Amino acid sequence: DCMVIGFPEGAGIPESKRDAVLKSGYLGGDGAGIRLAIVDAVADSHGWPIRITGGEDGGVRFKFHVDDR
C-alpha cells in the first residue's frame, strides 16, 4: 500500500536535493532543518520507505510505502 502526502504550492524540491532534505540540519528554506528528518526517522522505524516526487502542478509529494502489518 502507498500513502501520498502532497503539498501543491511552491516550486517543489529539486531532484538533486531530495535525499538531502531528509537529513537533520538541512536548510533549504525556513525552519531549523529538523522536521523532515523526524518524518524520515518515524517512517524508517516502521520500515516505510519514502519517495519524494514533484507534484503534477508543482509542489512536492511524499510517498510512503506502507505494508499491511
Side-chain angles (χ1 to χ4, degrees):
D1 292 327
C2 181
M3 175 175 51
V4 177
I5 300 172
F7 299 93
E9 45 301 306
I13 299 171
E15 196 168 334
S16 63
K17 297 185 180 193
R18 291 181 182 166
D19 288 333
V21 299
L22 298 174
K23 306 298 180 220
S24 182
Y26 177 82
L27 297 174
D30 297 343
I34 193 75
R35 292 175 287 192
L36 288 177
I38 292 170
V39 171
D40 185 49
V42 170
D44 188 55
S45 73
H46 290 285
W48 304 338
I50 299 175
R51 183 170 169 233
I52 302 172
T53 64
E56 292 175 12
D57 297 320
V60 65
R61 284 186 176 174
F62 297 91
K63 294 182 180 182
F64 297 83
H65 296 274
V66 181
D67 60 8
D68 296 326
R69 292 184 190 193

